[in-house]
Amino acid sequence: MAEEKIIYVDELAGSDETGTGVESSPVKTALKAVELGGESVKILIKKDEEGFKDISGAALKKAKKAYTELQRKLKKQEEQKKKAEEEDAKKAEEEAKALEKAKSIVLTEDESLPAAQKIKVRQSTESRGKRVKVSGWVHRLRVQGKDMMFVVLRDGSGYLQCVFTGKLCHTFDAITLTVESTITVHGVINELPEGKTAPGGHELVVDYWYVVGKAPGGDDAFNNKVTTDADPSYLLDNRHLVLRGETASAVMKARAEVIKAFRAHYDDRGYTEVTPPCMVQTQVEGGSTLFEFNYYGEKAYLTQSSQLYLETCLPSLGDVFCLAESYRAEKSHTRRHLSEYSHLEAEMAFLTFDEMLDALEDLVCDVIDRIMANEPTRQLIEQLNPGFKPPARPFLRMKYADAIQYLKDNDIKKEDGTFYEFGEDIPEAPERAMTDKINRPILLTHFPAHIKAFYMQKCPEDPRITESVDVLMPGVGEIVGGSMRMNNREELLEAYEKEGIDPSPYYWYTDQRKYGTTPHGGYGLGVERFLAWLLNRYTVRDCQLYPRFTGRCTP
């Protein structure tokens, strides 16, 4: 008979992980005690302050039964594990043999076929029925059985489904092909039969192909690097890979088409495009938002706006515009702020404030009309923002004073529970709340002079306010800021003094009022904000190739 082994169990202070079963180091459960002591175990158990006592017969029987069941489960798991390992080893061996065999399969181009004409994916429809050669990245990959493989190829101009059959699927490159590898395919593009779907309504039946550059698989595979639920910071670190996705690339293509439409609008309206400097020694929007740098021993800044330079072009070039980067050093973490953004700016001479508002409305509506009239671009808009409807004319024109009253009438208050009063700046949140509630574009005009830039023209009938405007869009808020510019030299000099600005570095700007002044005005449009509205993006960061904002200047 086996010697009886005593195991101590303390349900209050014992530990199944560190306990050894002796009185000074008890375990926590009877099951652990049976595991340590075996069938002939004697268990002394402590459940309260009275100390260790013999375990009851029923509890001991229950613990032994649980132990037996546990052993049975462990044995079964071990058998299943061994079987799985054997199956994996067999599978690995078969795969290794298949790969080795695949290495011996060499593809050669059939010389009897017509020479393949090199095309881009965008030329697929016009190339149907011809033998073509297309190069690109493997966007999607699907293996169907042993003798068929579908690859959606991407080259930046579009997507093309390619079908591989037979020997083409059996090569080493075919078996080890990965998403984002680059390949070249030869074959004929055929229209798909009724009921079948693929990009463009056709597919390329491959007769010859080869790998140009293979992307990694396993843990480093593209699909493991970029996932929709990844942390935003991780996605920004890997923006170079995110841009390969269908959504990000669609946004960038739409952006390019929108910029084309802006330029086409200005060209049609007789504006001249200019290219102002981005390194400056004057400020436009306040010193606190300037990025300063050392320019050959002098203090200089990255431009906040090209407006002042555009104004100097009016006498020689007439109405002008530019599309350039602007830089703001304000430490804003909102979803509509960037430290570097594409700034579309225009200046016009010999016009009234109302004419400038008309020009702004014409800009937005004409650009949208041009975009929607272009079928590929319209499809991009509908892909990214289903149900988008162009804004109806006329835009709502609302004065700042009326906006203050609207906030009161609609119980939109400050954080402290008080109402906004005339003379106070309306922050982003209440401005957006108002715009979203009205749900149409708003030309918000006539802001108080003391909350606007020094160069803005004051209203002749009320010098407290300016001939200024913000264009507000539902869902994104302000996308344009503009005004008439001071055209009186003495008034501008007074504005410099009031703001504490030394007029000397601005001599070239002030001279515009000395050598033939004129009523003139202009505006700046944030391209990323315009796109965020048009494409229904949550943040302007999604509308820039490599966004720059507080704390982010990589990659």
Side-chain angles (χ1 to χ4, degrees), residues 59-118:
L60 179 59
K61 185 177 180 182
K62 184 179 178 182
K64 288 183 176 180
K65 185 178 179 182
Y67 177 70
T68 302
E69 181 64 20
L70 177 62
Q71 291 301 106
R72 187 186 66 77
K73 285 182 179 178
L74 290 174
K75 184 180 179 182
K76 187 176 180 181
Q77 288 174 0
E78 190 61 34
E79 289 171 352
Q80 289 174 337
K81 181 182 176 185
K82 187 177 180 182
K83 184 179 178 182
E85 286 173 350
E86 289 173 354
E87 288 175 352
D88 288 345
K90 186 179 178 182
K91 186 179 178 182
E93 186 180 347
E94 289 173 353
E95 287 177 352
K97 286 179 181 177
L99 286 174
E100 203 57 40
K101 182 180 178 182
K103 288 178 183 177
S104 66
I105 300 173
V106 179
L107 300 179
T108 54
E109 188 173 5
D110 187 343
E111 297 296 333
S112 69
L113 294 172
Q117 177 188 349
K118 184 178 179 181

Side-chain angles (χ1 to χ4, degrees), residues 8-28:
Y8 288 86
V9 176
D10 186 340
E11 292 186 345
L12 300 175
S15 170
D16 284 351
E17 286 74 37
T18 59
T20 60
V22 298
E23 187 173 1
S24 59
S25 180
V27 294
K28 190 173 185 66

Side-chain angles (χ1 to χ4, degrees), residues 401-413 418-422 424:
D402 296 327
I404 291 291
Q405 188 59 48
Y406 181 94
L407 297 179
K408 290 179 179 178
D409 293 345
N410 288 270
D411 205 33
I412 300 173
K413 300 178 180 178
T418 62
F419 285 112
Y420 291 94
E421 300 295 340
F422 187 93
E424 295 181 316

Side-chain angles (χ1 to χ4, degrees), residues 263-279:
R263 285 197 162 102
H265 167 85
Y266 286 120
D267 184 59
D268 186 68
R269 302 303 192 266
Y271 289 63
T272 300
E273 182 172 7
V274 294
T275 311
C278 70
M279 297 186 288

Side-chain angles (χ1 to χ4, degrees), residues 142-150 164 166 169-170:
R142 177 167 60 90
V143 176
Q144 188 167 305
K146 292 184 177 180
D147 292 311
M148 186 171 283
M149 186 167 75
F150 292 90
F164 299 68
C169 305
H170 301 157

Side-chain angles (χ1 to χ4, degrees), residues 334-468:
T334 76
R335 56 192 171 104
R336 61 180 219 144
H337 278 92
L338 292 163
S339 298
E340 175 187 34
Y341 66 99
S342 297
H343 205 176
L344 184 76
E345 299 182 85
E347 291 293 322
M348 300 152 286
F350 297 104
L351 83 169
T352 65
F353 183 49
D354 282 336
E355 287 171 336
M356 193 190 78
L357 296 182
D358 291 340
L360 261 175
E361 186 174 303
D362 178 49
L363 169 74
V364 173
C365 293
D366 181 57
V367 165
I368 295 298
D369 288 345
R370 290 173 187 272
I371 291 165
M372 300 306 282
N374 181 282
E375 184 59 23
T377 310
R378 186 185 64 77
Q379 289 177 4
L380 282 175
I381 305 298
E382 290 180 353
Q383 173 191 335
L384 295 162
N385 188 7
F388 171 76
K389 288 184 175 60
R393 300 193 197 201
F395 290 180
L396 175 65
R397 300 192 180 190
M398 175 187 280
K399 291 185 177 181
Y400 162 88
D402 296 327
I404 291 291
Q405 188 59 48
Y406 181 94
L407 297 179
K408 290 179 179 178
D409 293 345
N410 288 270
D411 205 33
I412 300 173
K413 300 178 180 178
K414 302 178 192 175
E415 288 185 0
D416 64 6
T418 62
F419 285 112
Y420 291 94
E421 300 295 340
F422 187 93
E424 295 181 316
D425 189 22
I426 303 175
E428 176 191 350
E431 183 181 79
R432 283 193 59 184
M434 176 181 74
T435 309
D436 291 352
K437 192 164 185 177
I438 294 173
N439 198 30
R440 59 182 287 201
I442 301 172
L443 294 170
L444 189 60
T445 65
H446 299 91
F447 291 86
H450 69 274
I451 64 172
K452 283 297 183 180
F454 69 90
Y455 52 76
M456 292 190 178
Q457 182 66 50
K458 293 175 182 176
C459 292
E461 67 277 10
D462 186 352
R464 295 179 308 150
I465 56 178
T466 54
E467 292 185 322
S468 52

